[in-house]
Each structure stands twice: as C-alpha cells, then as structure tokens.
Amino acid sequence: MTDTNTYDYTPVEVALDDTPDLDDVHLEVAGVKLDLPNLNSAEMPIEVVQAVLLVKSKPVLDDETAAQVMAIFLAYFLQLKPNFGAVLRQTKAPLAYLTATVQAWAERSGLDPKAFRS
C-alpha cells in the first residue's frame, strides 16, 4: 500500500469574478413569497447547477430530460424552501405550480423559459 504523504498535491486556484452579482428573483406563488437566487448568477445554488446545465446544453429538452430537470428543482424546493414544498403538497395541481414557478424563475433570471417546458 502506498503512503499518501508521498504524493504531491497541486493546489487549485479559482479566479473569482469581481463583477456585481445579478439581482435575486422574487416570486409569489400560491400565497408563498419566494426569494430566489438568479439562475444566471455565479452564486446559483449548487443544488440546481445540474438542472441549469442540462437546460443550457440543449435548445429543446426531451421529455426525459425535462423530467430530470423538474425533479432537481422539486428536490431544491422541498429541501431549501420547505414552506413552498408544503404549499405544493396542498395544491390540486402541484406539478403545474412547480412548472410555472420554475419557468417564472428562469424568465426572471434571463434564461429562456421555453427550455424549461416539457
């Protein structure tokens, strides 16, 4: 077995952008006020990076990819915005509310909301 102390580790340096961050997005959905980070921001939540990259990688999402994207956003809301998750559980059309919320969030962030439609 090799001793890990014999390896040379290269430090990773990150060049951080000093430009001001984009404005947050503020939505009201089913009576819940949501303060959300801009999806075009360098400070986008790590929980939704995969979804945004999927959307940006294709001009039109197929049904499978659109479902993956919505699943990522649903997990984000359930974990980090539990009040909204509770409201989604109580609505008659939770998927419709989720989809409309993600589309509005994308639009207000300057992303193409059409890409978020399934």
Side-chain angles (χ1 to χ4, degrees):
M1 185 182 282
T2 306
D3 186 309
T4 58
N5 292 330
T6 63
Y7 294 122
D8 289 329
Y9 292 91
T10 303
V12 175
E13 295 184 25
V14 177
L16 297 176
D17 189 355
D18 290 340
T19 57
D21 209 19
L22 299 172
D23 291 336
D24 286 347
V25 172
H26 307 285
L27 303 174
E28 186 171 345
V29 185
V32 176
K33 293 182 179 181
L34 296 170
D35 298 315
L36 303 166
N38 192 299
L39 292 174
N40 265 325
S41 168
E43 295 182 9
M44 172 189 349
I46 194 71
E47 294 85 358
V48 299
V49 168
Q50 182 180 6
V52 172
L53 291 176
L54 282 169
V55 168
K56 286 184 172 186
S57 71
K58 299 180 180 184
V60 177
L61 299 182
D62 58 40
D63 289 343
E64 182 180 333
T65 306
Q68 289 173 329
V69 167
M70 284 301 140
I72 292 167
F73 279 104
L74 177 59
Y76 170 81
F77 285 122
L78 292 176
Q79 181 180 7
L80 297 173
K81 303 290 182 184
N83 291 346
F84 184 58
V87 167
L88 284 176
R89 285 184 191 95
Q90 295 172 2
T91 65
K92 292 183 180 183
L95 186 56
Y97 277 95
L98 175 65
T99 301
T101 302
V102 171
Q103 288 173 351
W105 187 5
E107 183 177 294
R108 302 296 271 158
S109 294
L111 297 177
D112 182 4
K114 292 177 196 165
F116 286 87
R117 291 190 177 103
S118 55

